[in-house]
Amino acid sequence: PHRGSRNWKKLYDERTSVERCNGRLKENLTTNDLHVCGISKGTTHVYLNAIVLLATALAVKKTQASKEVA
């Protein structure tokens, strides 16, 4: 898509959100420093880290929602 178009902005927003997730996985959840042998073990480690990242985001959202209700 052409730069500055609506489609370009949508793709760019998705890219930045993916980059933020990758950064969190690398820095906070030690995906950068894998010490396992084999691609399947590495993939499993990254998937588990992604699950932890999602669970953390859901927990934060749930606690914020309960504070707004109270």
Side-chain angles (χ1 to χ4, degrees), residues 7-68:
N7 287 336
W8 182 82
K9 289 179 183 178
K10 184 179 175 185
L11 284 173
Y12 194 79
D13 288 343
E14 289 177 9
R15 178 179 177 244
T16 56
S17 65
V18 168
E19 291 295 329
R20 282 193 305 270
C21 287
N22 287 340
R24 288 179 185 138
L25 284 171
K26 287 181 179 179
E27 296 299 321
N28 299 339
L29 297 173
T30 66
T31 305
N32 233 8
D33 302 323
L34 289 179
H35 299 287
V36 294
C37 295
I39 191 75
S40 63
K41 289 181 183 180
T43 303
T44 303
H45 187 76
V46 171
Y47 281 151
L48 289 173
N49 280 342
I51 290 169
V52 169
L53 185 67
L54 288 171
T56 304
L58 287 173
V60 167
K61 186 171 182 166
K62 187 175 181 179
T63 57
Q64 288 176 349
S66 66
K67 286 180 182 179
E68 290 176 2

